[in-house]
Amino acid sequence: MVEDKDIQKLKGFREFLPGEMRARRKVFDALRKVARKYGFREITTPSLEPMDLFLVKSGEELVEQTYSFEDKGGRDVTMIPEETPTRARMVKENKDLTKPIKWFSESKFWRYESTQKGRLREFYQFNYDIFGEESVEADAEILAVAAEILKELDLDDSADIRLNDRKMLEGILSTYGIENFKEVLQVIDDKEKMTDKEFLDKLVESGLKKEDAEIVDEITSLKGSFDEVIPELEDLVPDSEESQEAFRRLVDLRDRLESYGIIDNFVIDLSIIRGLAYYTGMVFEIFDTEGDLRALCGGGRYDDLIETLGGEETPAVGFAPGDAVLELLMKREGVWPDEKVETDVYVLNVSESVRRESLDIAERLRNKGLNVETDLSGRNFGNQMDYANKINASKLIIVGERDLEKEKVTVKDMDSGDEEKVSLSDIERFFQG
Amino acid sequence: MVEDKDIQKLKGFREFLPGEMRARRKVFDALRKVARKYGFREITTPSLEPMDLFLVKSGEELVEQTYSFEDKGGRDVTMIPEETPTRARMVKENKDLTKPIKWFSESKFWRYESTQKGRLREFYQFNYDIFGEESVEADAEILAVAAEILKELDLDDSADIRLNDRKMLEGILSTYGIENFKEVLQVIDDKEKMTDKEFLDKLVESGLKKEDAEIVDEITSLKGSFDEVIPELEDLVPDSEESQEAFRRLVDLRDRLESYGIIDNFVIDLSIIRGLAYYTGMVFEIFDTEGDLRALCGGGRYDDLIETLGGEETPAVGFAPGDAVLELLMKREGVWPDEKVETDVYVLNVSESVRRESLDIAERLRNKGLNVETDLSGRNFGNQMDYANKINASKLIIVGERDLEKEKVTVKDMDSGDEEKVSLSDIERFFQG
């Protein structure tokens, strides 16, 4: 037995009381509802996996930032920092899945990182992916899900989806003789966090000549709506088949997003890279329009990863909004749900002698799906009233002997204060009306 | 980068594909719905905690059966094997919570145990607790939630709730001079797994005389409905105030369970102990009536634990059904939900030229909350039809040029095969009718 009983929770971990959780559940329900509307289906994955699963994709570096350890059976294991490698395994092992495979999940993830605003050690993420479909329609549907989430959460005016295509960007860079994509893209990925000078210096460090660095700066400064940027891209994109294809795909994507009625949510931004090396085409990140928060989420197309992870060649596109930055933005915009508990009905028994009748009424309403509480503590009228107020009961049913003699109870509306007598036999009807 | 790409999931861990997950989600929704009906409110706790949190309550032994390790900051941490210590901390740190505190949660837990039927290393549990209320009403409400869960899952005829009161049992034992409760209760807790002879031998090993062991065997063989067992207990329960109080409480509990209309779900069984040492009164376990599965869940009253964990004196009662045994029983009884995905509508575009119109129809129905899929792959009529069948679409909307000229589409009911033409402007109304 340990003596010190004042054991705090770990830094970067959270617990949620009912009010906080109710707000979060509303947000999660919205994320779930959007998934379902578009025919995404829920899956669940293990929270602990063999460490090697993450080494394949991310290498030692990412594993350094995880909760990894040797289990009691001597296996190196990792608390999942992301879900993609597990999903890749599932796709690989279930060859008869109907394609396109459209999956979502609500999962917890863990990263051993220094905590800061919007970055925690334990966080929730919804992962949405379409596997087995390479078309621009799939890209558009993933982006439609992202846009619909913003709408559903009342964030469509407070956040932009910034879009790029890595293949197209690489094509543009290569016309200037820039081919060390890996290093250059990594610098571009950090552009947001640097001054112009720092950015240019870093590019030169990565192996570029100064004039090429300036070209990269100019290209990656290209930002605007589809209609603003596409004409400029027309001049920039080289004639190579791959680059032209990527460009045409972006034009097609524009057309689809217009069909979805969501084109105004998008900004083309050639500095969007997505840190992870495995994206192969369209990439996007969602930022608050004021630009003072980290990205809400990001995603894109990653057609090679499943094969890299040992599966068959399987195109894929997906994204994963997390709860931490979402909460910051929603609170800033005043659209985070009320952190208040709700109760439909409190059944107040005026005296101990009518407890049985009170319980019976409570049960009848519960059977109709209502959320009903009743006294557990033998409290008097006033204290039960206090409790009913604290749990934000919408209606109060007062059960007293005198009313019961006439087969009635008193129903009080807690907002208006109005009271009326209701026949015992009419109670269900009264509450369903 | 690791070369071996055939990395399996860990033993005792599960992943769920959409069909499996849909079934599980229906079960979880039922558990959630019951919680809400009784006014339990959702909380969430961290999945990783300082190891010491579990040492306080459970000692080294339990920690041996956990995933515990040193994190990168040198802290000893444990993937939570249960939620009670965390809840105790939350109650302790939030002194202004309205009492009774009624909490539920849906959480994953981890135990490093040898896996067997119904026992896994990663599992889900719903935890329901009432804190701050010592009354028999609270015991009854927890039991009502348990009984309602069985009903909601169609298990009320396939499972019994077996009930005991530890204070009463200890009172009875003490009239026979048996006072080494800890050892004796531990043997009783394992009674189910032993032959009669083994049971008696173990009791003797625990320090009892042979004749006392036989008395314990007889007492703990007492089983039956409230009405069968209460008269027998009347003779057995000693006159001591504590024992009589425990007995009267059981009689009161009978009365409450009758008010809830659930008395038939219960069996009094004096061999029910609940392994964990911290229960202080009513204890129960739910078993399948055929008795070939492990307990579905257990719970009871634990009035001292919060104080032991450093909080104020806080009575508590709760229980926690897990998903593993529940699934086994529901499958055996044929009440496990269908493992089939569902889709409300598939919008089939007869040709590429009507893609935009198809997308528009899909979006309109999604905005009405329907779950709608449409083609992402440029498939022909037959292949889209195959896909619609595979995702179990209830209705098919066939969008073709000729129909569109008349501002119509064809809606096909996938069950009956019936088709009808519907005006474009009437689509929402058609699907909401």
Side-chain angles (χ1 to χ4, degrees):
Chain A
M1 300 283 270
V2 162
E3 281 310 303
D4 176 10
K5 290 159 183 170
D6 204 22
I7 302 159
Q8 305 296 311
K9 67 175 186 299
L10 297 165
K11 204 176 125 185
F13 286 73
R14 296 167 297 174
E15 55 198 17
F16 302 115
L17 289 171
E20 298 167 293
M21 193 57 208
R22 178 178 162 272
R24 198 162 307 269
R25 182 57 59 200
K26 287 205 168 183
V27 172
F28 288 178
D29 283 348
L31 291 168
R32 192 172 275 283
K33 181 177 148 195
V34 173
R36 292 229 176 97
K37 284 205 291 196
Y38 285 83
F40 284 71
R41 300 186 175 89
E42 188 175 11
I43 60 157
T44 293
T45 66
S47 295
L48 196 71
E49 289 276 12
M51 186 162 73
D52 284 351
L53 190 68
F54 302 101
L55 287 171
V56 174
K57 177 179 144 196
S58 313
E60 297 286 348
E61 197 186 329
L62 188 132
V63 173
E64 267 310 298
Q65 291 170 3
T66 61
Y67 287 89
S68 293
F69 61 98
E70 191 180 306
D71 78 5
K72 293 194 201 308
R75 302 168 200 90
D76 285 324
V77 294
T78 299
M79 291 175 75
I80 58 167
E82 56 156 333
E83 203 164 286
T84 310
T86 303
R87 288 181 171 218
R89 185 187 61 212
M90 288 168 77
V91 168
K92 176 184 149 190
E93 289 179 353
N94 297 280
K95 296 201 199 307
D96 56 347
L97 293 169
T98 304
K99 290 194 177 135
I101 299 162
K102 294 162 68 172
W103 283 348
F104 84 96
S105 62
E106 173 195 321
S107 305
K108 266 187 181 178
F109 297 94
W110 299 271
R111 294 198 187 171
Y112 194 84
E113 289 188 299
S114 55
T115 56
Q116 39 178 272
K117 208 172 124 185
R119 196 163 75 182
L120 299 161
R121 289 184 172 170
E122 177 177 66
F123 56 95
Y124 284 94
Q125 234 178 32
F126 273 68
N127 276 251
Y128 305 83
D129 283 303
I130 302 176
F131 296 103
E133 184 46 62
E134 62 184 1
S135 71
V136 71
E137 319 299 339
D139 295 8
E141 189 166 272
I142 278 288
L143 293 170
V145 169
E148 183 67 18
I149 286 171
L150 294 180
K151 195 171 142 199
E152 190 69 43
L153 298 177
D154 262 333
L155 289 175
D156 38 354
D157 290 333
S158 343
D160 287 325
I161 308 177
R162 298 201 211 159
L163 200 70
N164 193 9
D165 188 295
R166 271 167 71 151
K167 247 184 215 146
M168 186 184 71
L169 180 66
E170 288 175 10
I172 296 170
L173 294 178
S174 67
T175 53
Y176 296 96
I178 299 165
E179 299 283 2
N180 55 334
F181 298 139
K182 198 182 159 204
E183 295 76 13
V184 174
L185 292 185
Q186 207 156 359
V187 179
I188 298 173
D189 192 38
D190 287 333
K191 187 177 182 185
E192 198 94 14
K193 302 172 203 154
M194 292 184 267
T195 64
D196 278 0
K197 186 171 177 320
E198 283 168 348
F199 181 60
L200 291 170
D201 289 350
K202 280 279 178 193
L203 285 172
V204 170
E205 266 176 51
S206 81
L208 296 195
K209 281 177 286 184
K210 185 143 187 296
E211 56 268 35
D212 287 344
E214 279 163 0
I215 288 167
V216 170
D217 187 21
E218 205 188 313
I219 291 167
T220 56
S221 298
L222 206 54
K223 258 188 206 64
S225 69
F226 272 90
D227 291 343
E228 286 162 357
V229 176
I230 281 180
E232 294 199 50
L233 285 173
E234 241 160 5
D235 299 332
L236 271 175
V237 176
D239 287 337
S240 77
E241 202 183 318
E242 212 183 16
S243 306
Q244 280 295 325
E245 200 187 300
F247 174 63
R248 277 197 309 272
R249 197 175 165 107
L250 195 67
V251 175
D252 283 348
L253 185 60
R254 185 205 168 287
D255 176 59
R256 303 299 183 274
L257 297 178
E258 198 158 49
S259 294
Y260 280 107
I262 54 176
I263 192 82
D264 290 340
N265 289 105
F266 291 86
V267 171
I268 296 189
D269 178 343
L270 269 68
S271 73
I272 297 296
I273 299 295
R274 298 291 298 142
L276 294 162
Y278 59 79
Y279 288 102
T280 54
M282 184 272 286
V283 285
F284 68 100
E285 292 190 340
I286 306 184
F287 284 95
D288 70 299
T289 45
E290 291 186 18
D292 61 351
L293 297 174
R294 302 160 60 85
L296 265 86
C297 71
R301 180 160 281 286
Y302 54 103
D303 287 345
D304 300 337
L305 186 65
I306 306 272
E307 207 180 352
T308 309
L309 290 164
E312 285 172 27
E313 200 185 323
T314 308
V317 59
F319 78 115
D323 70 326
V325 184
L326 206 52
E327 178 182 352
L328 292 175
L329 179 58
M330 289 180 76
K331 285 186 172 167
R332 193 187 78 190
E333 297 297 316
V335 295
W336 183 251
D338 237 2
E339 295 196 346
K340 244 176 43 177
V341 298
E342 285 171 324
T343 310
D344 296 326
V345 180
Y346 181 84
V347 182
L348 187 158
N349 58 317
V350 172
S351 61
E352 192 58 34
S353 60
V354 297
R355 178 178 290 284
R356 186 184 267 261
E357 289 80 0
S358 304
L359 210 53
D360 183 57
I361 292 166
E363 283 294 289
R364 282 167 57 194
L365 294 177
R366 284 170 182 147
N367 286 338
K368 294 292 162 191
L370 290 171
N371 163 346
V372 186
E373 285 207 61
T374 184
D375 176 56
L376 301 179
S377 317
R379 286 175 174 150
N380 65 21
F381 191 99
N383 289 338
Q384 287 187 61
M385 193 64 113
D386 281 352
Y387 181 75
N389 273 312
K390 281 185 181 153
I391 62 171
N392 302 311
S394 304
K395 303 262 194 220
L396 191 70
I397 300 181
I398 301 166
V399 184
E401 283 187 29
R402 218 166 305 164
D403 275 352
L404 279 182
E405 279 168 16
K406 297 177 212 138
E407 302 271 310
K408 284 190 190 299
V409 290
T410 302
V411 178
K412 178 174 177 166
D413 184 291
M414 296 291 273
D415 278 337
S416 66
D418 295 347
E419 291 188 6
E420 60 184 297
K421 304 279 183 198
V422 177
S423 282
L424 271 181
S425 56
D426 269 348
I427 287 181
E428 283 97 337
R429 222 171 317 149
F430 180 86
F431 278 90
Q432 289 190 310
Chain B
M1 298 285 269
V2 162
E3 279 311 304
D4 176 10
K5 290 160 184 172
D6 205 22
I7 302 159
Q8 305 297 311
K9 68 173 184 300
L10 297 166
K11 203 176 127 187
F13 286 72
R14 296 167 297 173
E15 56 198 16
F16 301 115
L17 290 171
E20 299 168 293
M21 193 57 208
R22 177 177 162 274
R24 198 161 308 266
R25 183 56 59 200
K26 286 205 167 181
V27 172
F28 288 178
D29 283 348
L31 292 169
R32 193 172 276 281
K33 181 178 149 195
V34 173
R36 292 228 176 98
K37 285 207 291 197
Y38 286 83
F40 284 71
R41 300 187 173 87
E42 188 175 12
I43 60 157
T44 294
T45 66
S47 295
L48 196 71
E49 290 277 12
M51 186 161 72
D52 284 350
L53 190 68
F54 302 101
L55 287 171
V56 174
K57 177 179 145 198
S58 314
E60 298 285 349
E61 197 186 329
L62 189 132
V63 173
E64 267 309 299
Q65 292 169 4
T66 61
Y67 287 89
S68 293
F69 60 99
E70 192 181 305
D71 79 4
K72 293 194 200 311
R75 302 168 201 89
D76 285 323
V77 294
T78 299
M79 292 175 75
I80 58 167
E82 55 155 334
E83 204 164 284
T84 310
T86 303
R87 288 181 170 217
R89 185 185 62 211
M90 289 168 78
V91 168
K92 177 184 149 191
E93 289 179 353
N94 296 280
K95 296 201 199 309
D96 56 346
L97 292 169
T98 304
K99 291 194 177 134
I101 299 162
K102 294 162 68 173
W103 282 349
F104 84 95
S105 62
E106 173 195 321
S107 305
K108 266 186 181 179
F109 297 94
W110 299 270
R111 293 197 188 172
Y112 193 84
E113 290 188 298
S114 56
T115 57
Q116 39 177 273
K117 209 171 124 186
R119 196 162 76 182
L120 299 161
R121 290 184 171 170
E122 177 177 67
F123 55 95
Y124 284 95
Q125 236 178 31
F126 273 68
N127 277 250
Y128 305 83
D129 283 303
I130 302 177
F131 296 102
E133 184 46 63
E134 61 184 0
S135 70
V136 70
E137 320 299 339
D139 295 7
E141 191 167 271
I142 280 289
L143 292 170
V145 169
E148 183 67 19
I149 286 171
L150 293 181
K151 195 171 141 200
E152 190 70 42
L153 298 177
D154 261 332
L155 289 175
D156 37 353
D157 290 333
S158 346
D160 287 326
I161 308 178
R162 298 200 211 161
L163 199 71
N164 193 9
D165 189 293
R166 270 168 70 152
K167 247 183 215 146
M168 186 184 70
L169 180 66
E170 287 176 9
I172 296 171
L173 295 179
S174 67
T175 54
Y176 296 95
I178 298 165
E179 298 283 2
N180 55 334
F181 298 139
K182 198 181 159 205
E183 295 76 13
V184 174
L185 292 186
Q186 208 156 0
V187 179
I188 298 173
D189 192 37
D190 288 334
K191 187 176 183 186
E192 198 94 14
K193 301 174 204 152
M194 292 184 267
T195 63
D196 278 0
K197 187 171 176 321
E198 282 168 348
F199 182 58
L200 290 170
D201 288 351
K202 280 278 177 195
L203 284 172
V204 170
E205 265 176 53
S206 80
L208 296 194
K209 282 177 287 184
K210 186 145 188 292
E211 56 268 36
D212 288 344
E214 278 163 1
I215 288 167
V216 170
D217 187 21
E218 204 188 314
I219 292 167
T220 56
S221 297
L222 207 54
K223 258 188 205 68
S225 69
F226 272 90
D227 290 344
E228 286 162 357
V229 175
I230 280 180
E232 293 199 51
L233 285 172
E234 241 159 5
D235 298 333
L236 271 175
V237 176
D239 287 337
S240 76
E241 203 184 315
E242 213 183 16
S243 305
Q244 281 296 324
E245 201 187 299
F247 175 62
R248 277 197 308 272
R249 198 177 165 105
L250 196 67
V251 176
D252 282 349
L253 186 60
R254 185 206 168 286
D255 176 57
R256 303 298 184 275
L257 298 178
E258 199 159 47
S259 294
Y260 279 107
I262 54 176
I263 192 82
D264 290 341
N265 290 106
F266 291 84
V267 172
I268 296 190
D269 178 344
L270 268 68
S271 73
I272 296 298
I273 298 295
R274 299 291 299 141
L276 294 162
Y278 59 79
Y279 288 103
T280 55
M282 183 272 287
V283 285
F284 68 100
E285 292 191 340
I286 306 185
F287 284 95
D288 71 300
T289 45
E290 292 187 16
D292 62 352
L293 296 174
R294 301 162 60 85
L296 264 86
C297 70
R301 180 161 280 286
Y302 54 102
D303 287 346
D304 300 336
L305 186 64
I306 306 274
E307 208 181 350
T308 309
L309 290 164
E312 285 172 27
E313 202 187 322
T314 308
V317 58
F319 79 115
D323 70 326
V325 184
L326 207 53
E327 178 182 352
L328 293 175
L329 178 59
M330 289 180 75
K331 285 186 171 166
R332 194 188 77 191
E333 298 296 317
V335 294
W336 183 252
D338 237 2
E339 295 196 344
K340 244 177 45 177
V341 299
E342 286 171 322
T343 310
D344 295 326
V345 180
Y346 182 84
V347 183
L348 186 157
N349 60 316
V350 172
S351 62
E352 193 57 35
S353 60
V354 297
R355 178 178 290 283
R356 187 183 266 261
E357 288 80 359
S358 302
L359 210 51
D360 183 58
I361 292 166
E363 283 293 289
R364 282 168 55 195
L365 293 176
R366 284 168 182 149
N367 286 338
K368 294 292 164 192
L370 291 171
N371 163 345
V372 186
E373 286 206 59
T374 184
D375 175 56
L376 301 179
S377 317
R379 285 174 174 151
N380 66 20
F381 191 100
N383 290 338
Q384 287 188 63
M385 193 65 113
D386 281 351
Y387 181 76
N389 272 312
K390 281 185 182 154
I391 61 171
N392 301 310
S394 304
K395 304 263 192 214
L396 192 70
I397 299 181
I398 302 166
V399 184
E401 283 188 31
R402 219 166 305 163
D403 274 352
L404 279 182
E405 279 168 17
K406 297 178 212 138
E407 302 271 310
K408 284 189 189 299
V409 290
T410 302
V411 178
K412 178 174 178 167
D413 185 291
M414 295 292 272
D415 277 337
S416 66
D418 294 347
E419 291 189 6
E420 62 183 294
K421 304 278 182 197
V422 176
S423 282
L424 271 181
S425 55
D426 268 348
I427 286 182
E428 284 97 337
R429 221 172 317 150
F430 180 86
F431 279 90
Q432 288 189 310

